[in-house]
Amino acid sequence: FSSLLFDSVYECVFPSSLQKYKDVEPLVKMVEVDGSDLVKDFAEEMEKMLGRKMIKNVFLDSISPDSHHEMNSGPCPPNGNYVELGQEFPLEKNEHFNKLPVNTQMSSIQVPTNVYNKDSEILNGVYMSEALNDIFVDNFEKDPTLTWQYFGSATGFFRLYPGIQWTPDENGVVAFDARNRNWYIQAATSPKDIIIVVDISGSMKGLRLTIAKHTINTILETLGENDFVNVIAYSDYVSYVEPCFKGTLVQADLDNREHFKLLVEQLQVKGEGKVKKAMKESFRVLNEVCVRGSLCNQAIMLITDGAMEDFQEVFEEFNWPERRVRVFTYLIGRELTFAENVKWIACNNKGYYTHISTLADVQENVMEYLHVLSRPMVINHDHDIIWTEAYMDTVVGLSHGILLGVVGTDVPLRELMRLAPRYKLGVHGYAFLNTNNGYILSHPDLRPLYKEGKKLKPKPNYNSVDLSEVEATVEKGKRVLFLKNDYFYTTINETPFSLGIVLTRGHGEYIFIGNISVEEGLHDLTTSDVTIANEWTYCETDIDPHHRKYSQLQAVIRYLTGKEPELECDEELLQQTMFDAVVTAPMEAYWTAIMLNTSGLDEGIETAFLGTRSGLMRVIRFAENEKRVAKKFLSPLDKENIFTLDHFPVWYRRAAENPAGKFLYYIPREDTRGIFPNMAVTACLRVCVCVCVCVYPRASLHRVSLYDYQAMCKMSQHSASSARPLLSVRALCSISVCAERVKNKADVLQPCDTEYPSFVYDPSIKETNSIIKCGRCQKMFVGQQIPDSNLLLMVVQSDCDCSRQYPLINMEPKEVKYILPCDRMKSMKIRRRPESCHAYHPQVPHSCLLSD
């Protein structure tokens, strides 16, 4: 069987296919890859690219008080030449903007439903920011790789370029408010240490407690990974909502924020409110912050329905005269008896006082503290470039200390990762980006989406996945390779990001470079069986809009023929691609000869193909499309088996690790759910470690446990204790709508960790046999390795039923739950503290009201 199989498949490989390589071998040189130098080179290119996106000065000049643009103090421009809010304007689908209908000559305005769009502040802001329209258009003309540009106003409106049609939800509500977005909050304020102090005395019962809980949750939503937080409840005595966090601050990452929300939901009222003890404890924690904390802005958020005690001595002892810690107060309920006391606390500690009487008041009132914290930055004219998970922002302000808004542009991650080209990293190599807090920005194994029914949705924790959770995970159904990798990393200057690359020992250590003439290479690139990786960047087709219509192969050919000399192309990659085209050219003639010789090919062979490290592929179809079983194989939709931005084809990666001269046989992943006779089997030469799943030959199969730290599981009831998942437990609905939207909580998916078994074949065992006793009968089996392949031939006696004694092994993933000890819950990952901090300015008034 081994001989028949080998001869049948080997016929398609062309025994003399390497002859052409031997002819040009003297021109080839081997170059050792230096991972340290390579990662620094990539990082420098990324820094340059991101630097080109920093259009900060142009933005600032366009709407600064010293600008030549007139500022109008009335509710509308004097000439009335503007599009009325809510009117329609022409739109056209644009490939560059995800095929959305857009208008590239103007920006559009979006106002959330809860903001009155005829308010004079809104109209004045819209008119004043019209100066950005020309700037946006000019920026896009100068750099056609730019995507969305936008301005989020502190008053609530959002200006977006290019203009689009904003569509309300099914209830007619436009819920998007830029001020609630992470990019806005990070750009509007510096990192902060926050202690939330909530009154749970008896007077806070009923609606007041509900409003207080919603206020806490809203404050938590304004925090990010650069912030630190804790929550203290007080009545007759002071208690931490999470006892494990007593006396300290914890990073306000997604896990901790969601954990606090679960605990806050369980708060109950009791006793009499003694705020003095709670304030002392809060100041003590903030004053003792040394390493654990942002070491920037510090604030106490007091949520209460009144304060009767004399607490001036507390501030004299802990906060005056410097007033380093701001105190923000939130008076809950309709009663105003103690309003002056609560206001006095904020006014005398450089904070802000608000009165919240209904749930609808919470959002707007909570956001006011961000404007206060932004004052030092605005007065100082410190227009920082702020980098978030997916955005580049710059802070814009007026000289009176009031934040005008945040303006920025998107930088697609795929554009950034193209600067770490696949061909320089080897078969298994890859690059990844991390934030300063250790969370993944980009990684080929990051799975940010999950499937719910037929829809793909973002996971609740998609932007807070740790590097270790990706590197140590194996997605269910993927084949296992055992590799030894070397990791290299460096920072990207002027950003909070770090770049890492992974090189596999063996295939990632060297690169060979062949020299070939353009004429010879061009001739062999233009044959019909050749394709190149369209997701790779051989030539940059996005700079000039006229080039966007070209595929990568078309662009390469037009560049090499001199028809498009202005194209920016990767000369090193082009040289490797041409070399590979020339070396593999004899395959095309050989395959064509096989097709013409009707007796020269065994029945059942549908496709012959090869791939090279430059992303070049040669493919020939021996069977017509309607007769092929594997119709999707090697099609543009078959991402697993073609060259993509993230990885080499799976058959290429597996073949690279297999002993030389042996074929790899495997069933493409999409075919594993079919009926056996209709499956397509792929055979590749130069192949890999095999993973088999087989119940009987225990001697030759080793069971291993694999883990998926990016899985999704059905929601279960969680207790708010120290027992919590390693990943976050995301609240998928708000309190007010949960009963309406989620009928069956058990069907809601949440992030989780799973474990599942796999079996790895030991290739050193050539044969194994045994007898299994099954009640009154016994079952004999023999397993033999098929030479020159990764196949195992199993012969099993079939007239003895062993299903009761030896049930099938359950291969389904099982959720893994953790009970984390307190020190693990408090532990903080190694992180890089943000360099920018604006916590103080002498001109900031001590007033507690912005209108003052």
Side-chain angles (χ1 to χ4, degrees):
F1 182 57
S2 170
S3 299
L4 282 171
L5 198 59
F6 186 88
D7 292 343
S8 176
V9 179
Y10 191 69
E11 182 182 8
C12 292
V13 176
F14 185 26
S16 58
S17 59
L18 293 180
Q19 183 59 49
K20 184 66 175 179
Y21 172 75
K22 293 178 181 178
D23 294 340
V24 297
E25 191 170 16
L27 303 176
V28 173
K29 63 177 181 178
M30 302 294 291
V31 178
E32 186 172 0
V33 177
D34 187 319
S36 298
D37 290 342
L38 193 60
V39 73
K40 289 176 183 177
D41 291 343
F42 290 165
E44 287 176 4
E45 289 300 313
M46 290 182 178
E47 181 187 350
K48 291 176 184 176
M49 190 272 275
L50 293 173
R52 292 194 296 269
K53 307 292 184 183
M54 295 183 191
I55 43 185
K56 160 177 145 179
N57 292 331
V58 179
F59 276 142
L60 293 177
D61 291 342
S62 66
I63 54 176
S64 68
D66 301 326
S67 169
H68 63 277
H69 298 286
E70 285 190 19
M71 294 295 186
N72 183 47
S73 58
C76 61
N79 58 9
N81 292 330
Y82 65 89
V83 178
E84 179 75 18
L85 294 181
Q87 289 191 0
E88 295 183 358
F89 52 94
L91 299 170
E92 185 177 344
K93 285 188 177 181
N94 191 303
E95 291 279 341
H96 186 63
F97 294 96
N98 302 321
K99 300 181 181 180
L100 289 173
V102 300
N103 187 316
T104 55
Q105 298 305 310
M106 64 187 301
S107 56
S108 59
I109 297 293
Q110 178 264 342
V111 183
T113 300
N114 64 330
V115 176
Y116 179 48
N117 65 3
K118 300 296 183 183
D119 185 274
S120 60
E121 285 191 354
I122 296 291
L123 294 176
N124 270 324
V126 169
Y127 170 57
M128 181 205 65
S129 64
E130 271 190 351
L132 286 172
N133 212 37
D134 292 339
I135 302 300
F136 288 151
V137 173
D138 185 59
N139 288 336
F140 186 55
E141 289 177 353
K142 289 178 178 177
D143 183 2
T145 65
L146 282 175
T147 54
W148 305 103
Q149 303 174 67
Y150 43 83
F151 170 70
S153 165
T155 58
F157 75 85
F158 182 66
R159 181 180 288 277
L160 178 67
Y161 174 87
I164 65 168
Q165 179 68 48
W166 289 90
T167 305
D169 63 18
E170 62 273 11
N171 299 315
V173 175
V174 177
F176 176 83
D177 190 333
R179 298 171 298 174
N180 299 336
R181 298 295 170 170
N182 193 37
W183 55 264
Y184 183 97
I185 294 169
Q186 286 193 39
T189 63
S190 295
K192 44 199 173 290
D193 299 329
I194 301 290
I195 293 186
I196 302 172
V197 179
V198 59
D199 183 353
I200 57 169
S201 62
S203 62
M204 287 286 290
K205 65 181 178 180
L207 180 60
R208 291 182 181 181
L209 183 62
T210 301
I211 295 174
K213 291 179 179 179
H214 187 38
T215 302
I216 295 173
N217 290 342
T218 304
I219 294 172
L220 289 172
E221 283 300 311
T222 66
L223 305 180
E225 286 81 14
N226 290 325
D227 305 317
F228 288 76
V229 68
N230 208 333
V231 182
I232 292 176
Y234 74 91
S235 55
D236 296 313
Y237 58 91
V238 175
S239 63
Y240 287 81
V241 295
E242 173 51 82
C244 179
F245 298 159
K246 182 178 180 180
T248 188
L249 294 171
V250 294
Q251 194 173 5
D253 56 22
L254 181 64
D255 285 344
N256 287 329
R257 295 200 308 268
E258 296 303 326
H259 187 54
F260 276 129
K261 289 179 183 179
L262 290 172
L263 297 169
V264 165
E265 188 58 33
Q266 297 184 0
L267 289 176
Q268 296 180 348
V269 298
K270 54 186 173 182
E272 184 180 350
K274 301 290 180 69
V275 69
K276 186 184 294 187
K277 292 181 181 179
M279 295 300 289
K280 282 186 175 182
E281 177 66 11
S282 300
F283 278 116
R284 185 188 66 79
V285 172
L286 291 174
N287 287 341
E288 293 178 0
V289 167
C290 182
V291 176
R292 179 182 289 272
S294 71
L295 305 186
C296 192
N297 286 295
Q298 292 190 325
I300 296 172
M301 324 296 270
L302 176 61
I303 302 169
T304 180
D305 64 345
M308 296 180 290
E309 296 175 271
D310 180 10
F311 26 70
Q312 180 171 335
E313 63 182 56
V314 176
F315 303 129
E316 289 175 345
E317 178 182 357
F318 291 99
N319 206 36
W320 293 352
E322 293 85 0
R323 293 175 170 83
R324 185 174 53 84
V325 178
R326 297 178 185 270
V327 181
F328 297 87
T329 56
Y330 302 88
L331 182 64
I332 305 299
R334 299 185 183 279
E335 182 61 52
L336 296 175
T337 304
F338 301 105
E340 287 304 315
N341 286 359
V342 177
K343 184 184 295 185
W344 183 92
I345 295 174
C347 289
N348 286 278
N349 291 278
K350 298 174 71 173
Y352 188 81
Y353 158 81
T354 59
H355 178 214
I356 304 177
S357 57
T358 67
L359 285 169
D361 297 335
V362 172
Q363 183 69 44
E364 286 292 324
N365 283 300
V366 165
M367 296 302 294
E368 294 293 355
Y369 94 89
L370 297 174
H371 302 147
V372 176
L373 293 184
S374 71
R375 284 173 174 176
M377 176 171 49
V378 173
I379 293 176
N380 239 356
H381 295 280
D382 292 319
H383 306 302
D384 294 337
I385 298 294
I386 305 297
W387 299 91
T388 66
E389 288 83 358
Y391 303 94
M392 180 279 291
D393 296 322
T394 177
V395 177
V396 182
L398 293 178
S399 57
H400 304 296
I402 306 300
L403 181 74
L404 178 63
V406 171
V407 66
T409 180
D410 285 359
V411 179
L413 284 172
R414 290 178 69 84
E415 183 181 345
L416 201 59
M417 296 311 293
R418 283 193 174 98
L419 299 178
R422 297 288 320 169
Y423 75 94
K424 291 187 177 182
L425 298 171
V427 181
H428 307 291
Y430 55 89
F432 60 88
L433 285 171
N434 267 21
T435 68
N436 62 299
N437 290 296
Y439 294 124
I440 287 179
L441 195 67
S442 177
H443 192 291
D445 291 328
L446 177 65
R447 307 195 309 273
L449 303 176
Y450 74 101
K451 201 167 186 178
E452 188 173 89
K454 294 183 178 180
K455 293 184 178 180
L456 285 175
K457 295 186 175 181
K459 295 178 181 177
N461 65 332
Y462 75 96
N463 59 358
S464 59
V465 178
D466 189 83
L467 177 64
S468 61
E469 295 168 348
V470 173
E471 289 291 321
T473 191
V474 181
E475 184 183 1
K476 181 73 172 72
K478 281 198 171 182
R479 298 169 179 88
V480 179
L481 285 176
F482 294 96
L483 306 170
K484 288 186 178 181
N485 294 332
D486 290 315
Y487 290 74
F488 305 87
Y489 58 93
T490 188
T491 57
I492 301 177
N493 295 331
E494 307 299 326
T495 79
F497 306 140
S498 298
L499 171 68
I501 65 171
V502 178
L503 300 178
T504 301
R505 293 183 184 179
H507 292 289
E509 294 180 304
Y510 295 92
I511 185 171
F512 75 89
I513 301 173
N515 193 12
I516 215 81
S517 69
V518 172
E519 291 76 15
E520 192 176 7
L522 188 59
H523 174 270
D524 291 326
L525 266 178
T526 53
T527 55
S528 60
D529 64 324
V530 169
T531 61
I532 59 176
N534 208 47
E535 291 188 16
W536 292 14
T537 305
Y538 300 80
C539 294
E540 181 57 70
T541 58
D542 208 31
I543 296 177
D544 187 338
H546 297 294
H547 294 154
R548 290 175 185 159
K549 60 186 177 182
Y550 299 137
S551 67
Q552 283 296 309
L553 183 57
Q554 289 171 334
V556 167
I557 292 173
R558 293 186 71 83
Y559 174 76
L560 293 176
T561 55
K563 294 180 179 179
E564 300 281 359
E566 68 280 6
L567 276 166
E568 294 183 13
C569 299
D570 186 332
E571 298 290 346
E572 183 180 347
L573 179 55
L574 290 188
Q575 185 59 233
Q576 292 191 31
T577 306
M578 289 190 293
F579 178 85
D580 292 351
V582 170
V583 168
T584 61
M587 295 297 297
E588 191 262 345
Y590 179 74
W591 285 337
T592 302
I594 292 178
M595 287 189 67
L596 296 176
N597 183 3
T598 55
S599 62
L601 188 67
D602 286 354
E603 185 178 355
I605 297 180
E606 294 185 349
T607 304
F609 57 96
L610 66 83
T612 73
R613 86 277 193 244
S614 65
L616 179 139
M617 286 189 66
R618 288 187 180 272
V619 180
I620 190 166
R621 306 288 190 179
F622 295 122
E624 296 177 2
N625 185 59
E626 59 272 11
K627 295 181 180 180
R628 289 204 307 270
V629 173
K631 291 183 174 63
K632 184 181 176 183
F633 185 63
L634 299 182
S635 71
L637 297 177
D638 187 14
K639 297 296 185 182
E640 190 174 60
N641 289 296
I642 62 174
F643 291 91
T644 69
L645 185 64
D646 292 332
H647 56 69
F648 277 59
V650 64
W651 48 265
Y652 195 115
R653 286 175 279 153
R654 297 189 66 200
E657 297 304 316
N658 207 63
K662 290 189 176 183
F663 276 99
L664 166 78
Y665 299 90
Y666 85 102
I667 299 172
R669 200 170 168 189
E670 288 295 322
D671 290 339
T672 57
R673 295 187 295 270
I675 302 171
F676 183 76
N678 293 327
M679 287 182 179
V681 177
T682 301
C684 307
L685 192 59
R686 180 71 188 173
V687 243
C688 93
V689 178
C690 167
V691 177
C692 302
V693 178
C694 191
V695 180
Y696 298 112
R698 310 268 176 169
S700 58
L701 292 176
H702 300 296
R703 177 170 177 156
V704 294
S705 292
L706 301 178
Y707 295 88
D708 185 353
Y709 300 116
Q710 299 182 70
M712 297 290 287
C713 303
K714 289 187 177 181
M715 182 179 289
S716 58
Q717 298 294 332
H718 292 281
S719 60
S721 66
S722 60
R724 60 173 181 161
L726 185 63
L727 295 180
S728 62
V729 182
R730 179 72 172 185
L732 298 180
C733 58
S734 65
I735 299 170
S736 59
V737 299
C738 186
E740 298 176 7
R741 296 183 62 183
V742 183
K743 295 181 180 180
N744 188 352
K745 190 175 181 180
D747 292 335
V748 177
L749 297 178
Q750 64 178 14
C752 65
D753 298 352
T754 58
E755 175 187 8
Y756 61 93
S758 188
F759 294 86
V760 181
Y761 176 60
D762 183 354
S764 65
I765 300 175
K766 306 298 182 183
E767 179 178 344
T768 184
N769 62 81
S770 185
I771 295 176
I772 299 176
K773 293 184 178 180
C774 304
R776 298 182 179 181
C777 65
Q778 60 184 20
K779 182 185 288 285
M780 179 183 292
F781 69 86
V782 176
Q784 288 190 353
Q785 187 182 112
I786 298 177
D788 300 320
S789 77
N790 62 318
L791 301 179
L792 187 68
L793 178 63
M794 294 296 303
V795 180
V796 183
Q797 187 176 346
S798 62
D799 57 357
C800 179
D801 185 5
C802 294
S803 58
R804 291 186 179 181
Q805 290 83 358
Y806 297 95
L808 290 175
I809 296 174
N810 185 6
M811 303 295 292
E812 290 301 312
K814 293 183 179 180
E815 183 177 1
V816 179
K817 296 185 178 180
Y818 308 89
I819 298 179
L820 298 180
C822 185
D823 58 348
R824 174 67 184 276
M825 292 175 66
K826 291 195 296 184
S827 66
M828 188 173 67
K829 298 187 297 293
I830 297 174
R831 62 188 294 268
R832 189 153 51 101
R833 196 184 306 279
E835 296 178 0
S836 175
C837 174
H838 306 283
Y840 174 77
H841 194 283
Q843 294 180 19
V844 173
H846 291 180
S847 168
C848 62
L849 294 174
L850 286 176
S851 59
D852 292 344

